[in-house]
């Protein structure tokens, strides 16, 4: 893996800024993006939003603390905003986006806005140019939001549609948009089916309750269509695509 000078700069900034903070450990400065660097950025963010028990997990506590601050952007007001900006830019660099032309100086520039907008477009969510808590969570993962490896365009189109459609649901977190039908994507599909059918105790597992709810639905046939605000047919089309059948082109965002 190549040594990326911008990633190296992020790693060095993290060590310079957070070494000695309780619950944070220095990272190797090697210019290579990986979970170790993403976890370090996550713990740095938790420290900046006032959490004392730092963790590799970007969980509900981190999301709640960010929600209290609001979307992160050029007009965000917070005592620690300069470092939070640097964490955003650092995450963008690690994801391969130009967050600020190699700078990590605690400012939010038009380049940062453009990078965030590009990230949101790749994910499939509205391009606001500011970072919501769920987009921040997605930023600090190793998930890809561009087509990679053996991924396919039709699967990526579904992934982006799901991100756009379910982003505001409490149970949904942004899934990869890499064109591959991974376990996380499969779980999100099951959650979506359970949500559509009103399955009690939705948990992302296709168990007896979900099977019974699916069996109770009318058969999907030629001419079937979704009612406003419901996506039963599209979810069936999504499942077809995930299982290498084309389905339909109706899921474009």
């Amino acid at each position: 893996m190549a040594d990326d000078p911008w990633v190296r700069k992020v790693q060095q900034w993290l060590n310079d800024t957070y070494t000695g903070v309780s619950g944070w450990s220095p990272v190797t400065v090697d210019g290579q993006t990986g979970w170790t660097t993403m976890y370090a950025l996550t713990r740095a963010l938790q420290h900046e939003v006032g959490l004392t028990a730092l963790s590799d997990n970007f969980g509900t506590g981190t999301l709640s603390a960010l929600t209290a601050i609001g979307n992160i952007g050029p007009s965000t007001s917070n005592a620690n905003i300069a470092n939070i900006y640097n964490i955003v830019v650092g995450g963008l660099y690690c994801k391969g986006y130009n967050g600020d032309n190699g700078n990590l100086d605690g400012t939010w520039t038009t380049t940062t806005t453009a990078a965030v907008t590009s990230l949101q477009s790749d994910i499939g969510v509205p391009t606001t140019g500011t970072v919501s808590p769920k987009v921040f969570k997605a930023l600090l993962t190793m998930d890809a939001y561009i087509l990679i490896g053996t991924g396919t365009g039709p699967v990526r189109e579904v992934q982006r549609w799901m991100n756009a459609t379910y982003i505001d649901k409490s149970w949904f977190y942004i899934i990869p948009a890499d064109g591959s039908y991974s376990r996380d994507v499969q779980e999100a599909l099951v959650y979506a089916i359970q949500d559509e059918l009103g399955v009690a105790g939705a948990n992302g597992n296709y168990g007896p309750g979900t099977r019974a709810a699916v069996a109770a639905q009318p058969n999907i046939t030629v001419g079937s269509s979704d009612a406003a605000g419901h996506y039963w047919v599209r979810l069936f089309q999504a499942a077809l695509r995930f299982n290498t059948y084309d389905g339909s082109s109706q899921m474009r965002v």
Side-chain angles (χ1 to χ4, degrees):
M1 185 180 295
D3 182 337
D4 186 325
W6 287 4
V7 173
R8 177 180 286 271
K9 189 167 186 175
V10 173
Q11 293 165 333
Q12 188 61 61
W13 175 80
L14 284 166
N15 286 342
D16 291 344
T17 305
Y18 297 103
T19 296
V21 170
S22 178
W24 193 91
S25 300
V27 295
T28 301
V29 180
D30 58 8
Q32 297 183 12
T33 298
W35 275 113
T36 300
T37 302
M38 291 305 195
Y39 290 152
L41 285 165
T42 298
R43 287 175 179 256
L45 176 62
Q46 290 166 346
H47 174 72
E48 297 299 345
V49 298
L51 301 181
T52 54
L54 308 187
S55 168
D56 292 342
N57 181 43
F58 193 124
T60 56
T62 309
L63 282 167
S64 295
L66 279 171
T67 300
I69 296 172
N71 289 1
I72 305 301
S75 61
T76 304
S77 177
N78 182 272
N80 300 325
I81 196 59
N83 282 346
I84 295 174
Y85 283 166
N86 279 350
I87 293 167
V88 170
V89 172
L92 289 167
Y93 289 154
C94 289
K95 276 276 193 278
Y97 299 88
N98 176 9
D100 193 16
N101 297 317
N103 296 317
L104 276 171
D105 57 6
T107 61
W108 185 288
T109 69
T110 56
T111 302
T112 312
T113 298
V116 171
T117 300
S118 293
L119 171 68
Q120 291 171 320
S121 178
D122 289 339
I123 290 171
V125 296
T127 52
T128 64
T130 61
V131 182
S132 69
K134 285 187 178 181
V135 169
F136 216 144
K137 179 179 174 71
L139 179 62
L140 301 187
T141 70
M142 288 298 293
D143 290 343
Y145 303 108
I146 58 173
L147 198 64
I148 61 172
T150 57
T152 68
V155 169
R156 181 172 183 263
E157 187 176 57
V158 178
Q159 292 169 321
R160 296 181 70 250
W161 172 78
M162 290 184 69
N163 284 333
T165 302
Y166 298 109
I167 184 67
D168 292 329
K169 296 283 188 178
S170 61
W171 50 266
F172 185 82
Y173 297 106
I174 290 166
I175 59 175
D178 58 1
S180 296
Y181 186 36
S182 64
R183 182 178 180 85
D184 286 345
V185 176
Q186 181 184 58
E187 183 178 64
L189 177 63
V190 175
Y191 262 116
I193 291 169
Q194 292 170 331
D195 182 75
E196 176 68 31
L197 301 182
V199 175
N203 57 11
N205 295 320
Y206 200 94
T210 304
R211 289 197 295 271
V214 171
Q217 297 302 303
N219 289 344
I220 295 174
T221 63
V222 174
S224 295
S225 61
D226 289 327
H230 293 278
Y231 305 102
W232 186 235
V233 175
R234 292 191 186 192
L235 289 173
F236 178 67
Q237 292 168 341
L240 286 173
R241 287 196 181 189
F242 289 152
N243 286 279
T244 72
Y245 299 96
D246 179 61
S248 171
S249 61
Q250 294 181 20
M251 286 167 287
R252 290 196 175 93
V253 294

